[in-house]
Protein backbone atom coordinates (compact mmCIF):
# COMPACT_ATOMS: atom_id res chain seq x y z
CA UNK A 1 0.00 0.00 0.00
CA UNK A 2 1.45 3.37 -0.98
CA UNK A 3 2.43 5.91 1.62
CA UNK A 4 -0.09 8.71 2.12
CA UNK A 5 -0.70 11.45 4.62
CA UNK A 6 -3.39 10.57 7.15
CA UNK A 7 -5.31 13.26 8.99
CA UNK A 8 -8.05 13.95 11.49
CA UNK A 9 -11.75 14.11 10.92
CA UNK A 10 -11.97 11.55 8.14
CA UNK A 11 -15.15 9.58 7.47
CA UNK A 12 -15.03 5.85 8.04
CA UNK A 13 -14.28 4.87 4.44
CA UNK A 14 -12.77 1.63 3.24
CA UNK A 15 -8.98 1.77 3.38
CA UNK A 16 -8.49 2.00 -0.39
CA UNK A 17 -11.05 4.80 -0.79
CA UNK A 18 -9.62 6.66 2.17
CA UNK A 19 -6.04 6.45 0.89
CA UNK A 20 -7.04 7.67 -2.56
CA UNK A 21 -8.92 10.61 -1.09
CA UNK A 22 -6.10 11.64 1.24
CA UNK A 23 -3.40 11.27 -1.38
CA UNK A 24 -5.35 13.70 -3.56
CA UNK A 25 -6.25 16.16 -0.77
CA UNK A 26 -4.25 15.83 2.46
CA UNK A 27 -5.96 17.14 5.58
CA UNK A 28 -4.36 19.15 8.32
CA UNK A 29 -3.34 17.87 11.70
CA UNK A 30 -5.70 18.29 14.65
CA UNK A 31 -4.25 20.56 17.36
CA UNK A 32 -5.47 20.08 20.94
CA UNK A 33 -4.27 22.25 23.82
CA UNK A 34 -4.19 20.90 27.35
CA UNK A 35 -7.45 21.68 29.09
CA UNK A 36 -5.82 22.05 32.51
CA UNK A 37 -2.33 22.22 34.04
CA UNK A 38 -0.57 22.70 37.35
CA UNK A 39 2.90 22.01 38.76
CA UNK A 40 2.83 22.46 42.53
CA UNK A 41 1.95 18.89 43.44
CA UNK A 42 4.46 16.71 45.39
CA UNK A 43 3.52 13.04 45.66
CA UNK A 44 5.37 12.13 48.87
CA UNK A 45 3.56 14.94 50.72
CA UNK A 46 0.18 13.53 49.73
CA UNK A 47 -1.75 11.01 51.75
CA UNK A 48 -3.07 8.37 49.41
CA UNK A 49 -6.72 8.39 48.50
CA UNK A 50 -8.69 5.92 50.61
CA UNK A 51 -9.31 2.51 49.09
CA UNK A 52 -12.59 0.71 49.78
CA UNK A 53 -11.60 -2.92 50.49
CA UNK A 54 -15.13 -4.08 49.65
CA UNK A 55 -15.36 -2.40 46.24
CA UNK A 56 -15.10 -4.67 43.20
CA UNK A 57 -14.96 -3.58 39.58
CA UNK A 58 -14.93 -6.27 36.92
CA UNK A 59 -13.61 -5.20 33.55
CA UNK A 60 -16.06 -4.87 30.73
CA UNK A 61 -15.69 -7.09 27.71
CA UNK A 62 -12.55 -6.25 25.79
CA UNK A 63 -13.16 -3.77 23.00
CA UNK A 64 -11.93 -5.52 19.87
CA UNK A 65 -9.98 -3.79 17.12
CA UNK A 66 -9.91 -4.59 13.38
CA UNK A 67 -7.96 -7.69 12.48
CA UNK A 68 -8.28 -10.13 9.57
CA UNK A 69 -6.72 -13.60 9.69
CA UNK A 70 -4.79 -15.01 6.77
CA UNK A 71 -7.32 -16.90 4.58
CA UNK A 72 -4.70 -19.43 3.46
CA UNK A 73 -2.99 -20.15 6.77
CA UNK A 74 -2.21 -23.81 7.50
CA UNK A 75 0.95 -23.96 9.58
CA UNK A 76 3.26 -21.41 11.12
CA UNK A 77 6.49 -21.64 9.15
CA UNK A 78 8.23 -19.40 11.71
CA UNK A 79 7.50 -21.71 14.66
CA UNK A 80 10.39 -22.68 16.92
CA UNK A 81 9.10 -26.07 18.08
CA UNK A 82 11.91 -27.10 20.42
CA UNK A 83 13.93 -25.71 23.27
CA UNK A 84 17.53 -24.67 22.74
CA UNK A 85 19.82 -25.46 25.64
CA UNK A 86 23.42 -24.83 26.59
CA UNK A 87 24.19 -28.38 25.50
CA UNK A 88 23.09 -27.61 21.96
CA UNK A 89 25.46 -26.66 19.20
CA UNK A 90 23.59 -23.36 19.21
CA UNK A 91 24.64 -20.66 21.59
CA UNK A 92 22.46 -20.13 24.64
CA UNK A 93 21.74 -16.90 26.48
CA UNK A 94 22.46 -17.56 30.16
CA UNK A 95 21.13 -14.98 32.59
CA UNK A 96 21.98 -13.71 36.05
CA UNK A 97 19.03 -13.15 38.36
CA UNK A 98 18.53 -9.81 40.04
CA UNK A 99 15.63 -8.95 42.32
CA UNK A 100 12.36 -10.82 42.43
CA UNK A 101 9.51 -9.56 44.60
CA UNK A 102 5.75 -9.38 44.72
CA UNK A 103 4.15 -6.19 43.52
CA UNK A 104 0.60 -5.11 44.26
CA UNK A 105 -2.01 -7.81 44.61
CA UNK A 106 -3.70 -10.07 47.13
CA UNK A 107 -2.01 -9.72 50.54
CA UNK A 108 0.40 -6.95 49.49
CA UNK A 109 1.11 -4.15 51.95
CA UNK A 110 3.31 -1.07 51.85
CA UNK A 111 3.95 2.16 53.76
CA UNK A 112 0.42 3.37 53.00
CA UNK A 113 -1.27 0.20 54.25
CA UNK A 114 -2.69 -3.02 52.89
CA UNK A 115 -3.54 -3.24 49.20
CA UNK A 116 -7.19 -3.91 48.39
CA UNK A 117 -7.81 -5.68 45.10
CA UNK A 118 -10.46 -3.55 43.40
CA UNK A 119 -10.23 -4.28 39.69
CA UNK A 120 -9.98 -7.44 37.65
CA UNK A 121 -8.00 -7.91 35.56
CA UNK A 122 -5.16 -5.75 36.91
CA UNK A 123 -3.63 -4.49 33.61
CA UNK A 124 -0.16 -4.49 35.16
CA UNK A 125 2.39 -1.94 34.01
CA UNK A 126 5.65 -0.76 35.54
CA UNK A 127 9.04 0.62 34.59
CA UNK A 128 12.49 1.07 36.08
CA UNK A 129 14.18 4.42 36.61
CA UNK A 130 17.40 5.74 38.09
CA UNK A 131 16.73 4.42 41.59
CA UNK A 132 13.11 3.26 41.66
CA UNK A 133 10.63 0.89 40.10
CA UNK A 134 7.11 2.29 39.69
CA UNK A 135 4.25 -0.18 39.30
CA UNK A 136 0.66 0.73 38.44
CA UNK A 137 -2.30 -1.60 38.21
CA UNK A 138 -5.70 -0.39 37.09
CA UNK A 139 -6.65 1.14 40.42
CA UNK A 140 -3.42 1.71 42.39
CA UNK A 141 0.26 2.55 42.18
CA UNK A 142 3.32 1.90 44.34
CA UNK A 143 6.92 3.14 44.23
CA UNK A 144 9.65 0.59 45.04
CA UNK A 145 13.35 0.96 45.83
CA UNK A 146 15.00 -0.82 42.93
CA UNK A 147 18.03 -1.83 44.99
CA UNK A 148 16.02 -3.65 47.67
CA UNK A 149 12.53 -4.18 46.27
CA UNK A 150 11.03 -2.45 49.32
CA UNK A 151 7.92 -0.36 48.79
CA UNK A 152 8.73 3.26 49.68
CA UNK A 153 5.40 4.89 48.75
CA UNK A 154 1.97 3.33 48.35
CA UNK A 155 -0.11 1.50 47.62
CA UNK A 156 -2.40 4.43 46.80
CA UNK A 157 -5.21 4.91 44.33
CA UNK A 158 -3.93 5.94 40.93
CA UNK A 159 -5.73 9.27 40.96
CA UNK A 160 -3.73 10.25 44.05
CA UNK A 161 -1.35 11.60 41.40
CA UNK A 162 -4.02 14.18 40.59
CA UNK A 163 -5.04 15.21 44.10
CA UNK A 164 -6.05 18.88 44.05
CA UNK A 165 -5.92 18.99 40.26
CA UNK A 166 -9.67 19.29 39.86
CA UNK A 167 -12.03 17.82 37.30
CA UNK A 168 -12.31 14.23 36.13
CA UNK A 169 -8.59 13.51 36.51
CA UNK A 170 -8.93 14.04 40.26
CA UNK A 171 -12.34 12.45 40.81
CA UNK A 172 -12.05 9.46 38.43
CA UNK A 173 -9.80 6.47 38.89
CA UNK A 174 -10.48 4.61 35.68
CA UNK A 175 -7.10 3.01 35.01
CA UNK A 176 -5.63 1.68 31.77
CA UNK A 177 -2.42 3.23 33.11
CA UNK A 178 0.93 3.80 31.45
CA UNK A 179 4.24 4.00 33.35
CA UNK A 180 7.24 5.32 31.43
CA UNK A 181 10.67 6.58 32.37
CA UNK A 182 11.99 9.31 30.08
CA UNK A 183 15.64 8.30 29.85
CA UNK A 184 16.61 11.49 28.03
CA UNK A 185 15.44 13.84 30.79
CA UNK A 186 15.42 11.35 33.70
CA UNK A 187 11.75 12.00 34.38
CA UNK A 188 8.78 9.78 35.14
CA UNK A 189 5.83 9.94 32.76
CA UNK A 190 2.69 8.53 34.40
CA UNK A 191 -0.76 8.59 32.85
CA UNK A 192 -4.24 7.13 32.96
CA UNK A 193 -7.53 8.01 31.32
CA UNK A 194 -10.58 9.56 32.99
CA UNK A 195 -13.76 8.35 31.31
CA UNK A 196 -16.76 9.44 33.41
CA UNK A 197 -20.15 8.18 32.25
CA UNK A 198 -21.38 10.35 29.41
CA UNK A 199 -18.03 12.13 29.03
CA UNK A 200 -16.18 14.28 28.40
CA UNK A 201 -13.13 12.03 28.30
CA UNK A 202 -9.55 12.87 29.28
CA UNK A 203 -6.00 11.60 29.26
CA UNK A 204 -4.34 12.62 32.55
CA UNK A 205 -0.54 12.96 32.46
CA UNK A 206 1.94 13.61 35.28
CA UNK A 207 5.59 14.31 34.36
CA UNK A 208 8.00 14.32 37.30
CA UNK A 209 10.27 17.29 37.92
CA UNK A 210 13.21 15.04 38.87
CA UNK A 211 14.14 11.36 38.73
CA UNK A 212 12.35 10.85 42.07
CA UNK A 213 8.91 9.36 41.47
CA UNK A 214 7.74 10.57 44.91
CA UNK A 215 8.66 14.20 44.23
CA UNK A 216 7.03 17.03 42.30
CA UNK A 217 5.08 16.72 39.05
CA UNK A 218 3.90 18.83 36.15
CA UNK A 219 0.33 17.71 35.48
CA UNK A 220 -1.76 18.02 32.33
CA UNK A 221 -5.17 16.94 31.05
CA UNK A 222 -6.15 16.55 27.39
CA UNK A 223 -9.80 16.27 26.44
CA UNK A 224 -11.27 14.13 23.64
CA UNK A 225 -14.71 13.99 22.07
CA UNK A 226 -14.71 10.18 22.11
CA UNK A 227 -13.64 7.48 24.56
CA UNK A 228 -9.83 7.23 24.36
CA UNK A 229 -9.49 3.51 25.08
CA UNK A 230 -6.31 1.43 25.44
CA UNK A 231 -3.73 4.27 25.54
CA UNK A 232 -0.12 3.34 24.81
CA UNK A 233 2.79 5.78 25.07
CA UNK A 234 6.31 6.01 23.67
CA UNK A 235 9.10 8.39 24.67
CA UNK A 236 10.78 10.09 21.70
CA UNK A 237 13.12 13.12 21.60
CA UNK A 238 10.55 15.50 20.12
CA UNK A 239 7.33 14.28 21.81
CA UNK A 240 5.54 11.81 24.00
CA UNK A 241 3.65 9.80 21.39
CA UNK A 242 0.35 8.29 22.52
CA UNK A 243 -2.02 6.00 20.63
CA UNK A 244 -5.67 5.24 21.38
CA UNK A 245 -8.54 3.12 20.14
CA UNK A 246 -11.39 5.61 19.93
CA UNK A 247 -15.01 4.68 20.67
CA UNK A 248 -18.03 6.94 20.02
CA UNK A 249 -19.59 6.16 22.44
CA UNK A 250 -19.28 2.37 22.30
CA UNK A 251 -18.76 1.96 18.56
CA UNK A 252 -15.19 1.72 17.32
CA UNK A 253 -14.19 4.97 15.63
CA UNK A 254 -10.64 4.14 14.52
CA UNK A 255 -7.21 4.64 16.01
CA UNK A 256 -6.09 8.09 17.11
CA UNK A 257 -2.38 8.94 17.31
CA UNK A 258 -1.09 11.99 19.14
CA UNK A 259 2.22 13.74 19.77
CA UNK A 260 2.33 15.59 23.11
CA UNK A 261 4.78 18.47 23.46
CA UNK A 262 7.43 16.76 25.54
CA UNK A 263 9.64 19.86 25.97
CA UNK A 264 6.74 21.91 27.34
CA UNK A 265 5.66 19.18 29.74
CA UNK A 266 9.18 18.58 31.06
CA UNK A 267 9.60 22.35 31.56
CA UNK A 268 6.20 22.66 33.27
CA UNK A 269 4.88 25.17 30.75
CA UNK A 270 1.48 26.66 31.50
CA UNK A 271 0.04 25.12 28.33
CA UNK A 272 1.09 22.01 26.45
CA UNK A 273 -0.15 21.19 22.98
CA UNK A 274 -0.70 17.88 21.30
CA UNK A 275 -1.01 17.20 17.59
CA UNK A 276 -3.25 14.31 16.59
CA UNK A 277 -4.29 12.35 13.52
CA UNK A 278 -7.48 10.32 13.40
CA UNK A 279 -7.38 7.08 11.39
CA UNK A 280 -10.39 5.32 9.94
CA UNK A 281 -12.15 2.31 11.42
CA UNK A 282 -9.89 0.10 9.29
CA UNK A 283 -7.07 0.56 11.81
CA UNK A 284 -6.72 -0.09 15.54
CA UNK A 285 -4.24 -1.28 18.12
CA UNK A 286 -1.32 0.90 17.03
CA UNK A 287 1.83 1.03 19.18
CA UNK A 288 4.26 3.99 19.20
CA UNK A 289 8.02 3.41 19.18
CA UNK A 290 9.52 3.81 22.65
CA UNK A 291 13.18 4.77 23.04
CA UNK A 292 15.64 2.51 24.89
CA UNK A 293 19.33 3.27 25.34
CA UNK A 294 21.45 6.41 25.22
CA UNK A 295 21.91 6.84 21.46
CA UNK A 296 19.15 9.02 20.07
CA UNK A 297 17.63 8.70 16.62
CA UNK A 298 18.81 11.25 14.08
CA UNK A 299 17.40 14.74 14.60
CA UNK A 300 13.99 15.00 13.00
CA UNK A 301 13.45 11.24 12.79
CA UNK A 302 9.76 10.39 12.84
CA UNK A 303 8.24 8.19 15.48
CA UNK A 304 7.48 4.73 14.12
CA UNK A 305 4.09 3.16 14.77
CA UNK A 306 2.96 -0.41 14.11
CA UNK A 307 -0.16 -2.54 14.13
CA UNK A 308 -1.07 -5.99 12.86
CA UNK A 309 -2.02 -6.53 9.23
CA UNK A 310 -2.84 -9.74 7.38
CA UNK A 311 0.49 -11.57 7.21
CA UNK A 312 2.15 -8.20 7.68
CA UNK A 313 2.97 -5.46 10.13
CA UNK A 314 1.63 -2.06 9.15
CA UNK A 315 4.02 0.84 9.76
CA UNK A 316 3.32 4.56 9.99
CA UNK A 317 5.85 7.38 10.39
CA UNK A 318 4.70 10.34 12.48
CA UNK A 319 6.73 13.53 11.96
CA UNK A 320 5.73 16.40 14.24
CA UNK A 321 6.60 20.04 13.58
CA UNK A 322 6.01 22.19 16.67
CA UNK A 323 6.95 25.44 14.89
CA UNK A 324 4.71 24.92 11.85
CA UNK A 325 2.07 22.34 12.77
CA UNK A 326 0.74 22.38 9.22
CA UNK A 327 3.94 20.57 8.23
CA UNK A 328 3.31 17.66 10.61
CA UNK A 329 2.62 14.41 8.77
CA UNK A 330 1.59 10.85 9.42
CA UNK A 331 2.64 8.72 6.47
CA UNK A 332 1.50 5.16 5.90
CA UNK A 333 0.57 2.51 6.35
CA UNK A 334 3.28 0.63 4.55
CA UNK A 335 3.05 -3.14 4.88
CA UNK A 336 6.09 -5.06 6.15
CA UNK A 337 5.67 -8.69 5.00
CA UNK A 338 6.08 -11.35 7.69
CA UNK A 339 5.67 -15.12 7.82
CA UNK A 340 1.97 -16.02 7.59
CA UNK A 341 0.12 -16.18 10.90
CA UNK A 342 -3.34 -16.37 12.36
CA UNK A 343 -4.25 -14.83 15.69
CA UNK A 344 -4.39 -17.13 18.71
CA UNK A 345 -7.99 -18.04 19.52
CA UNK A 346 -9.07 -16.00 16.44
CA UNK A 347 -8.22 -12.98 18.58
CA UNK A 348 -10.56 -14.05 21.38
CA UNK A 349 -10.66 -16.49 24.31
CA UNK A 350 -9.30 -20.05 24.41
CA UNK A 351 -6.16 -20.17 26.63
CA UNK A 352 -6.58 -23.26 28.87
CA UNK A 353 -5.83 -23.45 32.60
CA UNK A 354 -5.37 -26.45 34.86
CA UNK A 355 -8.29 -27.45 37.04
CA UNK A 356 -11.04 -25.42 35.35
CA UNK A 357 -12.92 -25.19 32.08
CA UNK A 358 -12.66 -21.40 32.22
CA UNK A 359 -10.36 -20.21 29.44
CA UNK A 360 -8.52 -16.90 29.14
CA UNK A 361 -8.40 -14.09 26.60
CA UNK A 362 -5.51 -14.30 24.14
CA UNK A 363 -5.39 -10.54 23.36
CA UNK A 364 -4.31 -11.69 19.92
CA UNK A 365 -6.15 -9.06 17.89
CA UNK A 366 -3.36 -6.57 18.65
CA UNK A 367 0.40 -6.21 19.04
CA UNK A 368 1.64 -6.23 22.62
CA UNK A 369 3.26 -3.27 24.38
CA UNK A 370 6.08 -2.17 24.00
CA UNK A 371 7.31 -1.37 20.49
CA UNK A 372 10.87 -1.00 21.79
CA UNK A 373 13.31 1.08 19.72
CA UNK A 374 17.08 1.07 19.98
CA UNK A 375 19.91 2.66 17.99
CA UNK A 376 23.35 1.07 18.17
CA UNK A 377 26.87 2.46 17.99
CA UNK A 378 27.31 1.20 14.43
CA UNK A 379 24.35 3.31 13.38
CA UNK A 380 21.75 0.62 12.78
CA UNK A 381 18.31 0.97 14.31
CA UNK A 382 15.97 -1.80 15.45
CA UNK A 383 12.43 -2.26 16.70
CA UNK A 384 11.24 -5.33 18.60
CA UNK A 385 7.60 -6.26 19.18
CA UNK A 386 5.46 -9.35 19.79
CA UNK A 387 1.91 -10.69 19.57
CA UNK A 388 0.06 -13.97 20.19
CA UNK A 389 -0.56 -16.36 17.30
CA UNK A 390 -2.17 -19.72 16.66
CA UNK A 391 0.25 -22.62 16.73
CA UNK A 392 -0.04 -24.73 13.58
CA UNK A 393 1.16 -28.18 12.59
CA UNK A 394 -0.30 -30.89 14.82
CA UNK A 395 -1.18 -28.49 17.62
CA UNK A 396 -4.68 -27.88 18.90
CA UNK A 397 -6.07 -24.52 17.95
CA UNK A 398 -6.39 -23.58 21.64
CA UNK A 399 -2.60 -23.31 21.94
CA UNK A 400 -1.12 -19.88 21.69
CA UNK A 401 2.47 -18.85 21.11
CA UNK A 402 4.35 -15.56 21.08
CA UNK A 403 5.49 -14.34 17.67
CA UNK A 404 8.32 -11.81 18.01
CA UNK A 405 10.10 -9.65 15.45
CA UNK A 406 13.20 -7.55 15.05
CA UNK A 407 12.70 -4.89 12.36
CA UNK A 408 15.53 -2.92 10.79
CA UNK A 409 16.19 -0.34 8.03
CA UNK A 410 13.64 1.96 9.60
CA UNK A 411 14.63 5.13 7.76
CA UNK A 412 14.52 3.33 4.40
CA UNK A 413 12.26 0.43 3.50
CA UNK A 414 11.62 -1.31 6.83
CA UNK A 415 12.23 -5.05 6.81
CA UNK A 416 12.06 -7.99 9.18
CA UNK A 417 15.60 -8.88 10.19
CA UNK A 418 14.43 -11.88 12.20
CA UNK A 419 11.19 -13.39 13.49
CA UNK A 420 10.07 -16.48 15.36
CA UNK A 421 7.02 -18.03 16.97
CA UNK A 422 8.18 -19.38 20.31
CA UNK A 423 6.31 -22.69 20.71
CA UNK A 424 8.76 -25.26 22.11
CA UNK A 425 5.99 -27.38 23.69
CA UNK A 426 2.21 -27.56 24.13
CA UNK A 427 2.06 -24.78 26.72
CA UNK A 428 0.28 -21.62 25.62
CA UNK A 429 2.41 -18.47 25.76
CA UNK A 430 0.84 -15.03 25.39
CA UNK A 431 0.59 -11.44 26.70
CA UNK A 432 4.29 -10.86 26.11
CA UNK A 433 6.54 -7.84 26.32
CA UNK A 434 9.94 -7.70 24.62
CA UNK A 435 13.04 -5.47 24.68
CA UNK A 436 16.73 -5.39 23.70
CA UNK A 437 19.73 -4.49 25.87
CA UNK A 438 22.63 -2.35 24.65
CA UNK A 439 24.42 -5.42 23.26
CA UNK A 440 21.48 -6.34 21.05
CA UNK A 441 20.44 -9.28 23.25
CA UNK A 442 16.68 -9.85 23.46
CA UNK A 443 14.43 -10.78 26.38
CA UNK A 444 10.75 -11.72 26.00
CA UNK A 445 8.52 -12.03 29.07
CA UNK A 446 5.05 -13.62 28.93
CA UNK A 447 2.33 -15.61 30.64
CA UNK A 448 2.24 -19.40 30.19
CA UNK A 449 -0.63 -21.80 30.85
CA UNK A 450 -2.11 -25.12 29.75
CA UNK A 451 -4.61 -27.74 30.81
CA UNK A 452 -1.77 -29.26 32.85
CA UNK A 453 -0.43 -26.13 34.59
CA UNK A 454 -1.90 -23.02 36.13
CA UNK A 455 -0.91 -19.62 34.70
CA UNK A 456 2.79 -18.91 35.19
CA UNK A 457 5.26 -16.16 34.37
CA UNK A 458 8.33 -16.91 32.27
CA UNK A 459 10.88 -15.22 30.05
CA UNK A 460 13.03 -16.38 27.15
CA UNK A 461 16.25 -14.82 25.92
CA UNK A 462 18.67 -14.75 23.01
CA UNK A 463 22.19 -13.45 22.54
CA UNK A 464 22.79 -11.08 19.66
CA UNK A 465 25.21 -13.71 18.30
CA UNK A 466 22.71 -16.61 18.48
CA UNK A 467 21.42 -18.04 15.21
CA UNK A 468 18.72 -15.71 13.92
CA UNK A 469 15.04 -16.52 14.47
CA UNK A 470 15.64 -18.39 17.75
CA UNK A 471 15.20 -17.87 21.45
CA UNK A 472 17.40 -20.02 23.64
CA UNK A 473 17.00 -20.27 27.40
CA UNK A 474 13.53 -20.18 28.96
CA UNK A 475 13.38 -19.23 32.64
CA UNK A 476 10.52 -19.60 35.10
CA UNK A 477 9.75 -16.39 36.98
CA UNK A 478 6.82 -17.62 39.04
CA UNK A 479 4.63 -20.71 38.79
CA UNK A 480 1.13 -19.67 39.79
CA UNK A 481 -0.76 -21.99 42.14
CA UNK A 482 -4.18 -20.70 41.13
CA UNK A 483 -6.34 -20.48 38.01
CA UNK A 484 -8.78 -17.69 37.25
CA UNK A 485 -12.32 -18.95 37.73
CA UNK A 486 -15.78 -17.44 37.99
CA UNK A 487 -17.16 -15.52 35.02
CA UNK A 488 -14.05 -13.53 34.10
CA UNK A 489 -12.03 -14.55 31.03
CA UNK A 490 -9.88 -11.42 30.80
CA UNK A 491 -6.25 -11.90 31.88
CA UNK A 492 -4.86 -8.40 31.96
CA UNK A 493 -4.45 -6.40 28.77
CA UNK A 494 -0.66 -6.16 28.79
CA UNK A 495 2.56 -6.74 30.70
CA UNK A 496 5.70 -4.58 30.70
CA UNK A 497 9.39 -5.24 29.99
CA UNK A 498 11.71 -2.27 30.56
CA UNK A 499 15.50 -1.82 30.50
CA UNK A 500 17.43 -0.24 33.36
CA UNK A 501 18.62 3.24 32.29
CA UNK A 502 21.70 3.06 34.55
CA UNK A 503 23.49 0.02 33.10
CA UNK A 504 21.34 -0.40 29.94
CA UNK A 505 21.66 -4.16 30.50
CA UNK A 506 19.26 -5.20 33.26
CA UNK A 507 15.73 -6.15 32.20
CA UNK A 508 12.78 -5.53 34.54
CA UNK A 509 9.54 -7.38 33.90
CA UNK A 510 6.17 -7.20 35.64
CA UNK A 511 2.94 -9.12 35.11
CA UNK A 512 0.28 -11.07 37.01
CA UNK A 513 -0.29 -14.54 38.47
CA UNK A 514 -2.61 -16.19 41.03
CA UNK A 515 -1.72 -17.92 44.29
CA UNK A 516 -5.12 -19.63 44.58
CA UNK A 517 -8.11 -20.27 42.36
CA UNK A 518 -10.45 -17.30 42.14
CA UNK A 519 -11.17 -14.00 40.40
CA UNK A 520 -10.43 -10.95 42.58
CA UNK A 521 -7.37 -12.52 44.15
CA UNK A 522 -4.57 -11.91 41.67
CA UNK A 523 -0.98 -11.11 42.56
CA UNK A 524 1.74 -9.45 40.52
CA UNK A 525 5.45 -10.08 40.29
CA UNK A 526 8.42 -7.85 39.55
CA UNK A 527 11.62 -9.53 38.41
CA UNK A 528 14.97 -8.29 37.15
CA UNK A 529 17.71 -10.16 35.32
CA UNK A 530 20.68 -9.60 33.05
CA UNK A 531 21.89 -11.59 30.07
CA UNK A 532 25.47 -12.57 30.83
CA UNK A 533 28.10 -10.66 28.92
CA UNK A 534 26.24 -7.34 28.93
CA UNK A 535 28.28 -4.90 30.98
Amino acid sequence: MSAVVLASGLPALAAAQENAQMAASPHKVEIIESSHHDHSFVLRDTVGKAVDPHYRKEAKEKRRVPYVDSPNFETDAAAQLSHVSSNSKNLAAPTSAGLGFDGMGQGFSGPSGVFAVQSAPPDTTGAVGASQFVQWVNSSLTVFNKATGAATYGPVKGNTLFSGFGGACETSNDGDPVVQYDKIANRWVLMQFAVPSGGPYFQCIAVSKTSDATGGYNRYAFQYSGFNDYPKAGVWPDAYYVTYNMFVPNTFGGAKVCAMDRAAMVAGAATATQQCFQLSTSYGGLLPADLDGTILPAAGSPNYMLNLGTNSLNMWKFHVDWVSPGNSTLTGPSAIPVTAFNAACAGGTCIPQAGTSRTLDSLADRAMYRLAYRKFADGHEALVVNHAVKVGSNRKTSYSATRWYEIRNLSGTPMVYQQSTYAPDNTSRWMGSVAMDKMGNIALGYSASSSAIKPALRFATRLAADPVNTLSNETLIMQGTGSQTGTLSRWGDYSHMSVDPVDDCTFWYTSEYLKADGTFNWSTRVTSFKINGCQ
Side-chain angles (χ1 to χ4, degrees), residues 330-354:
L330 180 71
T331 57
S334 57
I336 305 172
V338 302
T339 301
F341 66 86
N342 274 357
C345 313
T349 298
C350 76
I351 306 295
Q353 311 173 85

Side-chain angles (χ1 to χ4, degrees), residues 179-180 183 232-233 287-292 368-373 384-386 432-436 495-499 507:
V179 176
Q180 280 284 12
K183 302 173 180 69
K232 294 290 168 282
L287 294 179
D290 181 41
L291 176 70
D292 281 336
M368 289 282 95
Y369 194 59
R370 294 179 300 131
L371 175 61
Y373 167 93
V384 288
V385 70
N386 82 101
S433 186
V434 63
M436 306 177 78
S495 60
H496 196 149
M497 181 78 77
S498 59
V499 183
F507 295 96

Side-chain angles (χ1 to χ4, degrees), residues 349 351-353 355-360 483-489:
T349 298
I351 306 295
Q353 311 173 85
T356 179
S357 60
R358 172 62 57 185
T359 57
L360 302 175
S483 291
Q484 185 167 275
T485 56
T487 61
L488 185 63
S489 294

Side-chain angles (χ1 to χ4, degrees), residues 235-408:
V235 175
W236 206 247
D238 59 10
Y240 296 132
Y241 287 86
V242 186
T243 60
Y244 307 100
N245 296 324
M246 301 301 293
F247 288 83
V248 190
N250 293 313
T251 301
F252 180 61
K256 194 180 196 75
V257 297
C258 297
M260 297 179 178
D261 191 340
R262 173 181 169 273
M265 299 170 82
V266 168
T271 300
T273 300
Q274 67 174 351
Q275 299 183 19
C276 300
F277 291 93
Q278 178 65 51
L279 278 65
S280 80
T281 54
S282 298
Y283 305 110
L286 273 70
L287 294 179
D290 181 41
L291 176 70
D292 281 336
T294 59
I295 304 176
L296 302 186
S301 289
N303 185 266
Y304 307 102
M305 296 182 170
L306 284 179
N307 85 334
L308 299 182
T310 302
N311 297 333
S312 67
L313 299 174
N314 294 321
M315 176 178 280
W316 288 260
K317 297 181 180 181
F318 192 158
H319 169 72
V320 66
D321 190 324
W322 295 112
V323 177
S324 301
N327 294 330
S328 296
T329 57
L330 180 71
T331 57
S334 57
I336 305 172
V338 302
T339 301
F341 66 86
N342 274 357
C345 313
T349 298
C350 76
I351 306 295
Q353 311 173 85
T356 179
S357 60
R358 172 62 57 185
T359 57
L360 302 175
D361 191 344
S362 67
L363 303 164
D365 61 340
R366 64 198 67 192
M368 289 282 95
Y369 194 59
R370 294 179 300 131
L371 175 61
Y373 167 93
R374 185 177 286 275
K375 186 173 183 179
F376 293 88
D378 65 3
H380 87 268
E381 302 170 289
L383 292 168
V384 288
V385 70
N386 82 101
H387 60 107
V389 301
K390 170 187 172 182
V391 178
S393 182
N394 301 319
R395 301 291 174 90
K396 295 179 181 179
T397 57
S398 60
Y399 287 113
S400 164
T402 49
R403 168 75 72 86
W404 60 273
Y405 307 92
E406 180 182 350
I407 303 161
R408 294 191 182 181

Side-chain angles (χ1 to χ4, degrees), residues 65-216:
V65 297
Y67 168 76
V68 178
D69 269 332
S70 170
N72 301 315
F73 178 84
E74 292 184 3
T75 61
D76 188 333
Q80 178 183 334
L81 299 175
S82 61
H83 289 279
V84 174
S85 71
S86 58
N87 294 322
S88 168
K89 64 180 180 180
N90 296 311
L91 297 174
T95 60
S96 296
L99 286 181
F101 56 91
D102 268 0
M104 288 176 287
Q106 186 80 14
F108 175 81
S109 62
S112 300
V114 177
F115 176 76
V117 174
Q118 291 191 302
S119 303
D123 290 352
T124 312
T125 184
V128 60
S131 61
Q132 297 159 317
F133 185 90
V134 176
Q135 187 191 49
W136 198 343
V137 296
N138 259 335
S139 54
S140 301
L141 67 86
T142 295
V143 178
F144 297 88
N145 182 317
K146 81 172 192 182
T148 65
T152 58
Y153 181 84
V156 296
K157 293 177 70 173
N159 60 337
T160 299
L161 270 172
F162 298 93
S163 297
F165 188 65
C169 289
E170 179 177 6
T171 59
S172 302
N173 192 34
D174 294 322
D176 233 345
V178 177
V179 176
Q180 280 284 12
Y181 188 74
D182 181 341
K183 302 173 180 69
I184 306 170
N186 288 313
R187 304 292 184 91
W188 290 97
V189 184
L190 309 177
M191 60 180 76
Q192 72 171 354
F193 57 32
V195 289
S197 178
Y201 308 106
F202 297 87
Q203 191 70 6
C204 311
I205 303 101
V207 179
S208 68
K209 296 180 180 181
T210 69
S211 63
D212 181 5
T214 69

